[in-house]
Each structure stands twice: as C-alpha cells, then as structure tokens.
Amino acid sequence: EFRRVLFRSKEVSILKLIAQDKTTEEISKEVYLSPRTIETIRQNMKTKVGVKTIAGLIMYGMRNKLID
C-alpha cells in the first residue's frame, strides 16, 4: 500500500523524466541539477512513498495521475 504524499514540482518533473526512461545524466542536464542531486531526489521520493524500486515509483506516479 502506497502512502499518499505531495511531491514538489521539481520532484514531479524528475518523475516524468524517469518515466520517459531518461538516464540520471540526461535528467540532470534537463533540470539543471547535478547527477548526484538527481540520485538523492530519486531516493527521497522512493522513501516518501514507501517503495523500493523505480518501477514502484512510476506505478505510484501513474496511480496518482502525476504521470501518464
């Protein structure tokens, strides 16, 4: 069961790019943050919603209509 959380707009942007199968490097260039920061944000989002994988994060995004 997923926890219902609010993501900041930057987190939603990153989630959408992850769902588009972008690499950390590609995402970092698009949102003007370092790859290390992208990794940290990704990890924090997984912790927030209580998932272990990127697939879980994408499923959460789809179920909550953050990504399509």
Side-chain angles (χ1 to χ4, degrees):
E1 189 62 33
F2 293 123
R3 284 182 232 140
R4 191 83 168 102
V5 298
L6 292 176
F7 283 141
R8 298 186 316 264
S9 62
K10 182 72 80 180
E11 290 171 322
V12 174
S13 302
I14 291 170
L15 182 60
K16 286 178 180 176
L17 293 168
I18 291 169
Q20 292 169 24
D21 200 31
K22 303 265 189 198
T23 65
T24 299
E25 202 65 43
E26 291 168 328
I27 294 169
S28 75
K29 288 187 174 106
E30 278 200 46
V31 297
Y32 306 105
L33 294 171
S34 76
R36 179 95 178 109
T37 303
I38 300 301
E39 290 293 339
T40 302
I41 291 171
R42 181 183 293 165
Q43 192 56 51
N44 289 344
M45 288 194 298
K46 289 193 309 194
T47 302
K48 271 186 188 182
V49 298
V51 298
K52 297 181 187 106
T53 63
I54 291 303
L57 197 54
I58 290 171
M59 284 172 53
Y60 176 87
M62 291 170 69
R63 286 184 181 151
N64 290 284
K65 299 185 179 15
L66 299 172
I67 51 179
D68 44 21

